[in-house]
Amino acid sequence: MAHNLGQIYRQHGKYAYNVALRILANKSDAEDVMQNVFVKLNAGLSSFRGDSQITTYLYRMAVNESIDLIRRRKMMDAKHESMRPPDSHEASGAGPLVLQEALASLPEEQRAAVLLCEIAGFSYKEIAEILEVEIGTVKSRINRGINKLKEALK
Amino acid sequence: MNHNEIKELLYDYTKNECAEKSDEIKAHLATCAECRDEIKKLNSIKSLFRGSIVALPSTVRSPYAGGFLPAFLRPVPAFIAAALLVLVVLSGINIKSYTERQAAVSFVSDSYSYFLQETQTDLLANELTNY
């Protein structure tokens, strides 16, 4: 099946990158994640059934790779805590500090669901497909996440 | 639904995710200042997200920029095609002068270097894939 990958890159690349950027809170890490995602997506091209499935995988990989990177970093930090300088969102080039700090207060799963909803504009059903969870779980993660953001942004 | 139940559904309402209850919520909003204020707060969070969106950096390259053909089948730039044509023509001409031979070799060599540079990203991507 022919895929219009160039169009998917142009249409969704920016939003998938912004989701990764807000999960990671680091511009350089988000760029690395997205480059890796596009290479992997291209390599697995023959296994996709249609453009909508590629779009789902694009966001799923962007979210999963970003969360994996955070978890790997946390493990590294635990090992080398004394050697690492404190985090600075301003130095990371990740954008609005107030939003980034509020997002940092959310667990990764809530952060991903909120970002897919607010940055990429997906419906709860689409987010459930991307994250491979039930719609009820998506709804719960988003509502809890938004409530925490409201508190953090007061 | 009472006030608290409706308040918990307001975010879903702003996302059109509770269509079956939207009329009831709309009617409640007409009379409840607290819920209207809550909608304003939610909209300001949405604005914050919208304003935070940045462009995809040019450092993140599309692996599809050259189409979906393997690298060796992709169209080559016109001047590389011209260089190959010159090579074919030169191969049929008896070049006697050493300088002429050197110039021809340099031209083809330079063209090939440019071609390698252009396809470097694709080769790297393939290597990563096969790794």
Side-chain angles (χ1 to χ4, degrees):
Chain A
M1 178 165 188
H3 299 292
N4 198 348
L5 291 178
Q7 192 181 335
I8 289 170
Y9 172 84
R10 285 190 298 276
Q11 195 175 335
H12 293 280
K14 172 180 164 183
Y15 298 102
Y17 166 73
N18 275 271
V19 169
L21 178 64
R22 301 287 156 226
I23 291 175
L24 290 161
N26 185 291
K27 189 171 177 283
S28 168
D29 285 346
E31 287 175 22
D32 289 347
V33 160
M34 287 314 298
Q35 192 63 72
N36 203 20
V37 165
F38 283 126
V39 170
K40 282 185 180 176
L41 205 61
N42 197 36
L45 199 58
S46 57
S47 62
F48 294 114
R49 286 194 300 272
D51 287 356
S52 65
Q53 200 189 17
I54 299 176
T55 306
T56 301
Y57 270 84
L58 166 66
Y59 285 97
R60 186 181 297 162
M61 286 196 287
V63 168
N64 290 346
E65 298 238 345
S66 298
I67 292 177
D68 283 350
L69 183 58
I70 288 176
R71 289 177 182 166
R72 283 202 304 275
R73 285 269 160 81
K74 279 180 184 168
M75 285 173 68
M76 294 280 284
D77 287 354
K79 285 182 183 171
H80 307 289
E81 201 165 347
S82 60
M83 297 165 66
R84 197 171 182 276
D87 277 344
S88 167
H89 294 309
E90 280 174 308
S92 70
L97 188 58
V98 62
L99 179 63
Q100 201 57 57
E101 281 182 346
L103 280 169
S105 69
L106 305 187
E108 285 121 17
E109 287 80 8
Q110 288 178 16
R111 210 183 309 169
V114 168
L115 290 167
L116 287 169
C117 192
E118 284 300 328
I119 297 275
F122 285 116
S123 67
Y124 291 178
K125 185 169 179 264
E126 289 166 325
I127 296 169
E129 199 179 335
I130 290 168
L131 299 179
E132 297 180 286
V133 295
E134 296 296 320
I135 292 184
T137 308
V138 170
K139 192 174 173 177
S140 159
R141 285 181 186 176
I142 289 177
N143 277 287
R144 284 181 190 169
I146 290 290
N147 284 335
K148 284 182 191 166
L149 284 180
K150 271 193 298 187
E151 287 299 313
L153 293 168
K154 262 183 182 173
Chain B
M1 287 188 294
N2 63 32
H3 166 80
N4 286 335
E5 287 169 334
I6 287 178
K7 197 174 173 184
E8 284 191 7
L9 285 174
L10 288 179
Y11 182 78
D12 297 343
Y13 172 77
T14 65
K15 298 294 293 183
N16 294 320
E17 290 282 355
C18 54
E20 73 283 3
K21 292 167 184 164
S22 66
D23 286 345
E24 194 177 347
I25 294 170
K26 205 180 284 181
H28 177 77
L29 282 171
T31 59
C32 179
E34 187 185 336
C35 283
R36 283 199 302 273
D37 190 46
E38 189 68 14
I39 291 279
K40 276 184 195 165
K41 282 181 196 163
L42 292 171
N43 285 336
S44 71
I45 291 176
K46 286 171 183 291
S47 300
L48 210 52
F49 275 110
R50 275 199 301 275
S52 76
I53 295 173
V54 295
L56 181 66
S58 57
T59 48
V60 182
R61 286 196 59 192
S62 165
Y64 327 121
F68 310 114
L69 294 168
F72 69 93
L73 288 178
R74 289 176 191 168
V76 295
F79 86 91
I80 292 179
L84 291 172
L85 182 64
V86 169
L87 182 65
V88 171
V89 171
L90 286 177
S91 67
I93 299 172
N94 184 13
I95 302 172
K96 291 177 183 172
S97 145
Y98 174 77
T99 314
E100 282 173 340
R101 277 203 306 272
Q102 279 299 99
V105 167
S106 298
F107 180 66
V108 172
S109 167
D110 290 348
S111 302
Y112 185 60
S113 298
Y114 180 84
F115 177 71
L116 282 181
Q117 196 180 347
E118 282 292 294
T119 55
Q120 192 179 18
T121 306
D122 295 315
L123 291 171
L124 181 62
N126 286 335
E127 278 176 24
L128 282 171
T129 306
N130 295 331
Y131 180 69

